[in-house]
Amino acid sequence: MIQAVLFDLDGTFADSAPDLGAALNHVRELHDLPPLPIEILRLQASHGSRGLLKLGMNVEPDAPNYEALRDAFLQHYESHICDNTVLFPGMGALIAELERHDLPWGIVTNKPHRYTVPLMEKLGYAKRAACLVSGDTCARAKPHPMPLLHAADLMGVIPENCLYLGDDLRDMEAAQAAGMTGIIAAYGYIDPVADLTAWPASGSVLTPFALLRYIQN
């Protein structure tokens, strides 16, 4: 029986690609490069600054200029963290339904606390969440199960009675390792060539509200 629901943030709970993409295009503009279309950037949005800088600036963390590029990216993102970020269609209705049935819900993301809380506050859901577990809350981040296990502990629910919705392979790996029911947010930032049948998940949904069928059974 599902007694609590956990969500990944970027690409699952909220469509943050427009603001993450804007931060990357700001960095590109600083280096006299043209902006990249959001359709291209969206696929890397779940991978944060590292994935986006790899895509847009062709740099890895060991590059001499990586830190300066990352700082410029993060400074812009922090100042514009919720200019165009919105919940995915149907997510608000899903949260309302969970709350109507007194099912606690929370966020488990690899996004640092510094950005997770302000974004959730601006979206208006920070105080409604039973927990906000960020990438730096625990000693390990996803795909390690530690953040999910910590979230379950905060909510007072055993992991086996938790469901985790996410749009990345690491989300499903973390859910499996934690003993939770992992469901793929197929509407999220997923590469079109990804083989979702190979992911260790219990199912997938094309819209957030469709998740109810895995909760109410």
Side-chain angles (χ1 to χ4, degrees):
M1 180 183 296
I2 300 302
Q3 298 178 349
V5 179
L6 296 167
F7 300 94
D8 175 45
L9 181 49
D10 300 294
T12 299
F13 188 80
D15 183 6
S16 53
D19 291 324
L20 288 164
L24 176 64
N25 280 330
H26 168 73
V27 175
R28 285 177 60 84
E29 183 180 9
L30 293 176
H31 292 81
D32 299 317
L33 296 171
L36 294 175
I38 187 63
E39 292 76 20
I40 293 176
L41 301 178
R42 189 175 296 277
L43 297 180
Q44 284 296 323
S46 282
H47 298 280
S49 58
R50 179 172 181 168
L52 286 165
L53 288 171
K54 168 65 176 175
L55 172 66
M57 301 301 294
N58 195 30
V59 291
E60 298 281 3
D62 57 356
N65 60 336
Y66 179 81
E67 189 171 337
L69 292 172
R70 183 193 60 191
D71 289 348
F73 176 98
L74 293 176
Q75 183 176 9
H76 185 280
Y77 180 61
E78 189 170 20
S79 299
H80 302 274
I81 198 167
C82 200
D83 285 0
N84 295 292
T85 294
V86 296
L87 299 189
F88 279 99
M91 182 57 74
L94 171 61
I95 296 301
E97 190 69 6
L98 296 179
E99 293 174 345
R100 189 170 74 85
H101 289 279
D102 295 320
L103 278 173
W105 65 273
I107 298 291
V108 180
T109 175
N110 277 2
K111 200 182 198 77
H113 176 86
R114 175 181 175 182
Y115 309 107
T116 300
V117 175
L119 177 55
M120 289 296 291
E121 287 176 343
K122 287 182 178 293
L123 289 171
Y125 284 83
K127 293 183 178 179
R128 293 169 63 174
C131 65
L132 297 175
V133 178
S134 303
D136 49 1
T137 300
C138 301
R140 302 285 297 274
K142 298 177 298 181
H144 198 279
M146 188 181 295
L148 288 175
L149 295 173
H150 180 59
D153 185 56
L154 290 174
M155 294 189 296
V157 180
I158 64 173
E160 289 78 8
N161 290 341
C162 293
L163 181 152
Y164 186 51
L165 180 68
D167 71 314
D168 194 271
L169 173 59
R170 65 171 176 255
D171 297 326
M172 297 304 101
E173 291 174 338
Q176 181 186 51
M180 295 185 180
T181 298
I183 303 295
I184 303 169
Y187 57 84
Y189 305 149
I190 297 177
D191 192 317
V193 302
D195 180 11
L196 301 188
T197 63
W199 292 15
S202 297
S204 65
V205 291
L206 294 175
T207 67
F209 201 71
L211 190 69
L212 287 176
R213 73 172 181 263
Y214 292 102
I215 299 170
Q216 297 175 338
N217 289 344

